[in-house]
Amino acid sequence: MADSTAKPQPQQPPKSAISPRRADDFPEWYQAVLAAADLAEHSEVRGCMVIKPWGYGIWENIQAQLDRMFKATGHKNAYFPLFIPLSYLEKEAEHVAGFAKECAVVTHHRLEAGPDGKLIPTGKLAEPLVVRPTSETIIGAAYAKWVQSYRDLPLLLNQWANVVRWEMRPRIFLRTTEFLWQEGHTAHETEPEAQAETRTMLDVYETFAREHLALPVLRGRKSASERFPGAVDTLCIEAMVQDCKAVQAGTSHFLGQNFAKASGIRYLSRAGQQEFAWTTSWGVSTRLIGTLIMAHADDDGLVLPPRVAPSQVVIIPVIPKEEMRDKVLGACRALAEQIKSAQFHGEPVRVEIDARDVTGGNKTWEWIKKGAPLRVEIGPRDLDAGTVFVGRRDKGPKEKQSYPQATFAAEVPALLQSIHDTIYARALAFRDANTRVIESKDEFYAWFTPKNEAKPEIHGGFALAHWNGSPEVEAKIKEDLKVTIRCIPFEDKPEPGTCIFTGEPSAQRVVFGKSY
Amino acid sequence: MADSTAKPQPQQPPKSAISPRRADDFPEWYQAVLAAADLAEHSEVRGCMVIKPWGYGIWENIQAQLDRMFKATGHKNAYFPLFIPLSYLEKEAEHVAGFAKECAVVTHHRLEAGPDGKLIPTGKLAEPLVVRPTSETIIGAAYAKWVQSYRDLPLLLNQWANVVRWEMRPRIFLRTTEFLWQEGHTAHETEPEAQAETRTMLDVYETFAREHLALPVLRGRKSASERFPGAVDTLCIEAMVQDCKAVQAGTSHFLGQNFAKASGIRYLSRAGQQEFAWTTSWGVSTRLIGTLIMAHADDDGLVLPPRVAPSQVVIIPVIPKEEMRDKVLGACRALAEQIKSAQFHGEPVRVEIDARDVTGGNKTWEWIKKGAPLRVEIGPRDLDAGTVFVGRRDKGPKEKQSYPQATFAAEVPALLQSIHDTIYARALAFRDANTRVIESKDEFYAWFTPKNEAKPEIHGGFALAHWNGSPEVEAKIKEDLKVTIRCIPFEDKPEPGTCIFTGEPSAQRVVFGKSY
């Protein structure tokens, strides 16, 4: 070993709470953030996760807030069976082909002791049941019964549910065998109405990502090879996370009449004709949680967008001597009541007091790692001075500011909004810094080639480049670089150009990236 | 055929919207109410139901309101896998024995085209997975990892989820293969703490049934033969519905150390010893919806308890001439805004305007059948007179009352509470009228023998009788009469007596009934 006294050591970067850091090993950093924030963990059931209370609390807020947006756009909730008869799934050929390799199949409906006394499945089903990977076909069967005339349209329903897609390489929140999601399913009288619905719901997702999750996302349509199996058109929102990869964070599908034909959703038109309905489906899932973690968390742990944080403000009592406990806790409770009565986006601010018997420093670090937007410390000195000591999660862990106790609660909504705005601006700046307009194939290949062989996940980011629309070109790029077209962005005036791969004409630039 | 002019016809009872009536065929009446109120229907998947928007809206309110009560008692939500490895389920012998006959089993994880081109399950799993019938074992596996010391206790979690218990004779909302529920799972340091939790959550259920669903329920414990498989003690709430049968509407189980031993939930005690935790579990399900229908609905359809009604007030515009449309609708919208700003139990009143192009009389009947608590009609004459015409669902369909438009909104909360109180009092009076203290075996058998062979579901109701505590006596009664002990009621001073079946001593009277 080298003599450490001989030369000055290279200066150490400041300590971080999460090891490894993002820059050193992004996948391991992600796992470490999940653990440090106590969000979720792998279960013993292959590919299935356990969502712990702090992680589930984020999902509850996502659910409640999105649900209000769905209802405001005229949708109601309903619930359809978990199981889909195999014959239903087979009705749409592309659809079943797309999901066949990842279906959990129920084949028996009881257990009985076998010859060796161990339980074995018995009661074999005449027709196997697939655990829903998505519900177009089972919901289509119901719609076919419910829709008779144009008066029954539009039918605008949503379902909050669990779905199962067998996953060989699970990653918590991003890709798990079972996940939680919502799936909207609508049926319309005309093609333009169904297309408008598809776009409306994509815009709801974009608004939600921006205003609730502080995520800037690109909006656009998928190329044919990336469409939902059975869809005519798939619209998507795409986020960039901190390893410069893309995450498809939500999709909205225009299904044309494909599923209406497969399920027999017919209606008597105004002209007295039997017509097939036009349908859509759209969904977001617990993947949104993975996306916000990868977009916002830092080397000290999770950074939560305030609107979905289970607790937006955490009050940490500082109790140096036991005899001060009652007084300090009393002040904490009084402050918590004041903060609760402040409103943030029309809801009472969510506040909790962490009165556990743990040293203050450890508590503070726990809440930093859990990403609580505001930490408020109150001790005897603050009581005397009439102040509180406040840490914002978007600033450094040591950067704290004193506020007057009397007026702090009233400032909380503005502070939360400021944290939201800061992390949104950061994510946007990151995406901008890692997006490049690319004019040649060589530049394109250089952009997506890892700079460091040991860290293949680090690469250029998004590329905006002209493409001739050919699936073969797309397939070659995917084979060479693992890069796909993330979306063909919506543009008011698309600028035509020349495909950088073939020299052929291109209608507009499209967004390329590596994706989760 | 008889000459209908010869004799006067027997007087017809007034027409009812639901056919058959409750008194004529209770099971068919129930199906007819479900259909008329558009609540839910059977799917093509055996035993699985589709919950339609009006039915799901009731569940959303049940969920939101119960969830607040769970959180107020210190619980948080989390989510655990849908699939349970067979070996987990086998860890608790009584438990697996109780559920083995109704387990949906996943045996394969993909589909591939077979020799004839049809899809067949492939990718056989090394260990079959059971679709959760309940989650004690899968949650126990997680708790075993999370609990190390007494400092980790109590662990107080709840899960909102779907569960599957294969059902040969499904009945919507009461008994379906898949149903929605919540399951609380808690772990404690001491036996008395776990017992207190078991009782606290039963009391939450009783309060919820009474104050939110207008259901009077009996509280007590189950006899050993009716316990949850693997529990030490099962507490329950039992409702009586209008065919005099009992519905077990919620259960809370004290599991002792049985599941902690099966799953290995151990903690380091304050005394420095490794100890097994004491656990509980408790749940209610979409069965609550079936219970409230059977308890409150009448021969005109559903009667909804106001707190869980998806719409508490429905405004029906009366538009005799097209040119009056804008004026009438404007008045409806203004009134709806006023009503929304009224508060009922701390929430804005839920109001909707039914502006569909359907005749007024049909609309009114639809809302009667759907059980909306208050119907408000506004037409041009009401606008001139400054009045609204109001129908209460707890009164006859023709019984309407006029209110001043200017003050009606302010009266809505009191009207809703009055409807709640009325239907609660009715259900209580019905139960009282159909509950009898019984002193002899003959009287008992007479009480439970149908008066009319053609209507075996009509019988006496609840019997309060002394029983010696013997499972054999219980089994004989069940065999003879299909009557079971619904609960051993909690009593401050239980009065001992003599078992009416054996003449042996009895500690207290227990409640007998036929059940769903």
Side-chain angles (χ1 to χ4, degrees), chain A residues 499-515:
Chain A
C499 172
I500 63 169
F501 307 102
T502 62
E504 291 173 5
S506 152
Q508 67 170 97
R509 287 182 196 276
V510 302
V511 181
F512 289 90
K514 293 189 184 179
S515 82

Side-chain angles (χ1 to χ4, degrees), chain A residues 274-332:
Chain A
Q274 283 290 330
E275 306 275 4
F276 285 108
W278 300 83
T279 69
T280 84
S281 66
W282 29 274
V284 296
S285 72
T286 34
R287 170 169 253 223
L288 284 177
I289 302 176
T291 313
L292 72 88
I293 298 168
M294 287 195 164
H296 298 309
D298 62 21
D299 293 333
D300 288 328
L302 187 56
V303 177
L304 279 173
R307 289 184 75 170
V308 299
S311 298
Q312 295 163 323
V313 181
V314 175
I315 301 178
I316 301 171
V318 180
I319 303 169
K321 291 182 189 166
E322 195 48 36
E323 61 266 31
M324 293 168 181
R325 177 175 297 273
D326 289 353
K327 198 176 163 200
V328 171
L329 284 179
C332 290

